[in-house]
Amino acid sequence: MNTGRQITIIGAGLAGALLATLLAQRGWRVEVFERRGDPRLHGYAGGRSINLALAERGLHALRQAGTDDAVMRQAVMMRGRMVHPLDGQPELQRYGRDDSEVIWSINRGELNIVLIEAAEAAGATLHFDRRLEQVDFDRSTFVVKGDGHEEKRSFAALVGADGAGSTLRGQMAQVADLGERIDWLDHGYKELEIPPGPGGSFRIEPNALHIWPRGHYMCIALPNDERTFTVTLFMPHAGPHPSFETVPDGDAAADFFASDFADAVPLIPQLEADYERNPVGSLATLTLDRWRIDGRAVLVGDAAHAMVPFHGQGMNCAFEDCVALADALESHDAFEAAFSAFEAERMPNAAAIQHMALENYLEMRDRVDDADYRLQRALELMLQDRHPHRFVPHYAMVSFMRIPYAVALERSEIQRGILQRATAGIEHLDAIDWAAVDADVRSRLGLLEGTPA
Ligand SMILES: Cc1cc2nc3c(=O)[nH]c(=O)nc-3n(C[C@H](O)[C@H](O)[C@H](O)COP(=O)(O)OP(=O)(O)OC[C@H]3O[C@@H](n4cnc5c(N)ncnc54)[C@H](O)[C@@H]3O)c2cc1C
């Protein structure tokens, strides 16, 4: 039973710090153990991407914790994708209908610090430099190490917010079959930087997520509030050119960028040095058949369902998890019932966004500058006007609404069929058979609750 309202969280990353805040604000006694040092004292030791896209799901969770204002002070608005074709001028493709439908670029380190401060202000106790090593589920104890220190502690229940390589998940797997599967993407990523321009200005349009789509590889760039951009190159780890194997060093990267991303070259003065210094990151989709050991331990965020980053939803989904788990803990007396309700609610939704994230890689790297894609995108917006409570574009359902991801996926698949049938064999919207399309929409899509007006 959770009558003592005590809980132990492993990891003070994005999910761990937010969950600690939400629970401490509701009167829980929360202890958090984090492997890294306190980022407020030693600076933020990253590891994953430097910045992230924050969308409505994540923002909603931040509002619940009262941390949205502090986070948004450092955020940069992104209205849409600025697509940089191989030849020709960059073009903005808006994500939504206007500036009420946008996403935000935020710095991971700054966000983490805001959440850590909020957790402490709410009364949670955070222990830094304390790495979970081992759990004894029978005795309800665990061992943390760090700073030459080793300690055994007891717990009422453990929450694993310790990321994709979760130690808690590893410990749980020793006492129960979690059904773990890891599908590695054969593409990796490397980060580069566009520094500020003369006079400290942004060198390219700041209010956009820039994409250089090139078929089976791409670059993207997200703005930072200090007027830089973090550029991420995604391409295969190995195989025919270009891959990280055929572009092994700074000199090769300079040639590759000159031929494939020519307009980005003058923007990245340290290209060779960044390329040599920064590691190639790996990406994977993690799925589990169970996220918990009865009422003793449960996983959230990347520890439960790491995903590829192409929908910019990993953190947003992890934040939704935190709200769902905090709500479940408030509405059930026993940990087991709360963890079970949380898992039942979130597992199908995590699977849906993992699927959509994989699909979105193809869209970003290959489809965004195709004529048929642009025609379907224009039609999507017109159908949204004609059927505002029925047809909501895929991107809007995922990024501007909080309907369950599984519902967004199901409706997106129906909508894709409608768009494909409507545009088959035509090149302009003038040729659309509106009566047929409207009938298709009405017959296949029910009204969607919570639709933006
Ligand atoms: C290249 C890239 C780009 C991304 N872009 C986006 C984006 O634009 N939008 C978005 O929503 N998501 C994005 N994501 C996904 C996002 O980074 C993750 O979903 C998010 O960080 C998950 O948060 P988390 O708290 O579950 O895990 P993490 O942020 O990984 O935090 C885990 C924490 O646990 C700690 N820890 C680990 N092991 C232990 C241990 N044994 N003991 C104690 N502590 C431990 C770690 O130090 C860390 O602080 C991106 C990911 C990548 C790789």
Side-chain angles (χ1 to χ4, degrees):
M1 297 287 282
N2 58 8
T3 44
R5 290 168 69 82
Q6 291 180 34
I7 201 155
T8 302
I9 299 174
I10 307 301
L14 302 181
L18 178 64
L19 181 64
T21 309
L22 292 169
L23 290 175
Q25 284 171 343
R26 295 171 193 199
W28 284 69
R29 277 180 49 202
V30 184
E31 285 211 87
V32 188
F33 292 85
E34 166 57 47
R35 176 179 67 180
R36 294 176 300 186
D38 186 338
R40 294 165 296 184
L41 305 178
H42 312 293
Y44 182 75
R48 317 212 82 193
S49 66
I50 289 162
N51 52 21
L52 300 132
L54 174 70
E56 177 55 25
R57 294 168 196 272
L59 244 176
H60 175 77
L62 296 175
R63 283 185 210 115
Q64 305 290 296
T67 51
D68 51 316
D69 281 348
V71 172
M72 293 308 281
R73 274 198 285 278
Q74 299 160 346
V76 184
M77 182 203 278
M78 297 188 290
R79 294 195 166 92
R81 297 165 171 165
M82 184 70 79
V83 178
H84 297 245
L86 194 51
D87 303 304
Q89 288 306 305
E91 191 192 13
L92 181 74
Q93 296 178 2
R94 263 193 178 273
Y95 285 129
R97 290 171 293 186
D98 54 40
D99 280 358
S100 68
E101 295 185 330
V102 297
I103 56 173
W104 303 88
S105 178
I106 44 166
N107 178 284
R108 185 187 290 268
E110 287 170 359
L111 172 64
N112 209 162
I113 287 174
V114 167
L115 294 176
I116 284 169
E117 280 177 344
E120 281 188 350
T125 307
L126 278 75
H127 306 271
F128 292 97
D129 287 310
R130 292 289 175 273
R131 180 180 75 238
L132 175 73
E133 284 280 314
Q134 232 183 353
V135 182
D136 183 333
F137 289 100
D138 292 332
R139 294 189 174 77
S140 296
T141 59
F142 62 101
V143 174
V144 286
K145 280 190 185 168
D147 261 354
H149 175 97
E150 175 170 330
E151 204 181 335
K152 187 183 268 188
R153 311 279 298 226
S154 58
F155 65 86
L158 288 174
V159 181
D162 49 348
S166 170
T167 303
L168 180 56
R169 188 176 74 236
Q171 293 293 299
M172 290 163 67
Q174 294 194 1
V175 297
D177 180 5
L178 304 180
E180 176 173 322
R181 293 174 303 281
I182 300 181
D183 292 312
W184 291 100
L185 196 69
D186 48 8
H187 293 217
Y189 70 96
K190 191 183 275 276
E191 291 186 325
L192 308 165
E193 195 194 53
I194 299 176
S201 56
F202 281 106
R203 284 189 183 220
I204 47 176
E205 167 59 45
N207 294 122
L209 187 155
H210 293 260
I211 308 187
W212 289 258
R214 295 294 182 263
H216 73 288
Y217 56 98
M218 67 174 183
C219 267
I220 65 170
L222 272 71
N224 296 306
D225 62 341
E226 69 270 28
R227 302 207 164 11
T228 61
F229 288 82
T230 304
V231 178
T232 313
L233 166 67
F234 294 93
M235 68 179 174
H237 284 290
H241 187 70
S243 67
F244 284 110
E245 204 174 58
T246 69
V247 187
D249 54 28
D251 285 347
D255 291 344
F256 171 46
F257 271 69
S259 64
D260 288 54
F261 305 108
D263 66 329
V265 173
L267 305 173
I268 315 175
Q270 299 295 322
L271 172 63
E272 286 95 329
D274 280 1
Y275 198 91
E276 300 248 335
R277 189 180 51 243
N278 295 341
V280 177
S282 293
L283 301 165
T285 303
L286 162 78
T287 47
L288 303 174
D289 293 338
R290 46 194 296 204
W291 290 354
R292 66 189 179 92
I293 306 254
D294 46 60
R296 285 173 288 178
V298 68
L299 301 170
V300 298
D302 277 15
H305 49 66
M307 65 190 75
V308 296
F310 304 111
H311 227 307
Q313 285 288 319
M315 165 193 64
N316 287 282
C317 178
F319 283 178
E320 265 195 341
D321 285 354
C322 295
V323 174
L325 182 57
D327 287 350
L329 284 164
E330 283 298 278
S331 49
H332 295 85
D333 285 337
F335 280 118
E336 176 151 20
F339 292 174
S340 163
F342 164 75
E343 183 188 67
E345 178 189 337
R346 296 299 296 163
M347 201 180 259
N349 290 308
I353 186 58
Q354 286 179 312
H355 176 84
M356 292 189 281
L358 279 164
E359 281 188 344
N360 219 46
Y361 188 24
L362 192 68
E363 176 165 323
M364 288 174 85
R365 71 182 200 220
D366 202 21
R367 300 256 301 127
V368 286
D369 56 352
D370 285 356
D372 67 329
Y373 173 87
R374 286 193 297 211
L375 184 66
Q376 289 183 12
R377 177 77 190 126
L379 176 58
E380 241 187 351
L381 293 171
M382 293 185 74
L383 287 176
Q384 184 177 25
D385 273 350
R386 294 170 84 90
H387 305 275
H389 302 292
R390 232 179 260 276
F391 195 109
V392 180
H394 163 79
Y395 194 86
M397 285 192 288
V398 172
S399 301
F400 310 139
M401 296 181 72
R402 292 188 291 109
I403 55 168
Y405 286 120
V407 174
L409 172 59
E410 191 188 344
R411 295 181 73 100
S412 292
E413 285 176 347
I414 296 170
Q415 292 180 177
R416 187 182 303 150
I418 294 172
L419 295 171
Q420 283 167 349
R421 279 188 293 281
T423 54
I426 66 166
E427 287 179 10
H428 297 287
L429 290 177
D430 310 348
I432 295 276
D433 177 349
W434 289 109
V437 181
D438 288 341
D440 209 9
V441 169
R442 282 196 205 94
S443 70
R444 288 174 203 273
L445 292 168
L447 293 173
L448 180 57
E449 270 179 44
T451 325

